[in-house]
């Protein structure tokens, strides 16, 4: 029997995110979420950082963000997006 890890990982991540949303700021769920986030590289859905994506990035604190073609419109737009992402990372991690 072969186990597929990707669906299992997605389910575990969703459970941690849901638990972290309802938990106090210093709960074990926050610690688990921070540990999980440092093992993930994520993408964002479009060329701009929307409020939902920003909130998710601040909560998850991923190890990295992959930019795809869907994130690119122009050189200036991409530069601005990267600056926004760096600012979110600095503010949410303190580094």
């Amino acid at each position: 029997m072969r186990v597929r890890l990707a669906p299992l990982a997605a389910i575990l991540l969703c459970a941690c995110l849901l638990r972290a949303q309802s938990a106090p700021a210093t709960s074990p769920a926050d610690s688990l979420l921070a540990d999980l986030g440092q093992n993930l590289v994520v993408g964002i859905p479009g060329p701009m950082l929307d409020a939902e994506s920003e909130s998710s990035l601040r909560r998850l604190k991923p190890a990295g963000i992959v930019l795809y073609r869907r994130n690119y419109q122009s050189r200036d737009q991409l530069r601005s997006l990267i600056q926004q992402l760096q600012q979110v990372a600095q503010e949410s991690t303190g580094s």
Side-chain angles (χ1 to χ4, degrees):
M1 182 172 150
R2 203 169 171 196
V3 177
R4 293 181 153 222
L5 294 180
L8 178 59
I11 291 169
L12 289 173
L13 179 60
C14 288
C16 289
L17 289 173
L18 290 173
R19 182 192 287 179
Q21 287 177 343
S22 62
T26 59
S27 72
D30 285 339
S31 176
L32 177 60
L33 187 60
D35 290 344
L36 274 174
Q38 285 301 304
N39 291 300
L40 296 175
V41 176
V42 299
I44 59 172
M48 300 175 68
L49 184 60
D50 60 12
E52 183 179 352
S53 296
E54 182 177 344
S55 174
S56 294
L57 292 173
R58 287 182 187 279
R59 188 173 59 248
L60 188 58
K61 299 177 182 78
I65 300 169
V66 177
L67 297 177
Y68 295 99
R69 174 71 180 111
R70 67 178 181 244
N71 304 120
Y72 177 83
Q73 289 178 333
S74 70
R75 180 177 277 183
D76 290 336
Q77 170 272 329
L78 185 60
R79 186 175 289 126
S80 175
L81 175 60
I82 291 170
Q83 288 172 347
Q84 287 178 306
L85 292 169
Q86 289 174 334
Q87 182 178 354
V88 168
Q90 289 172 349
E91 290 172 359
S92 62
T93 62
S95 53

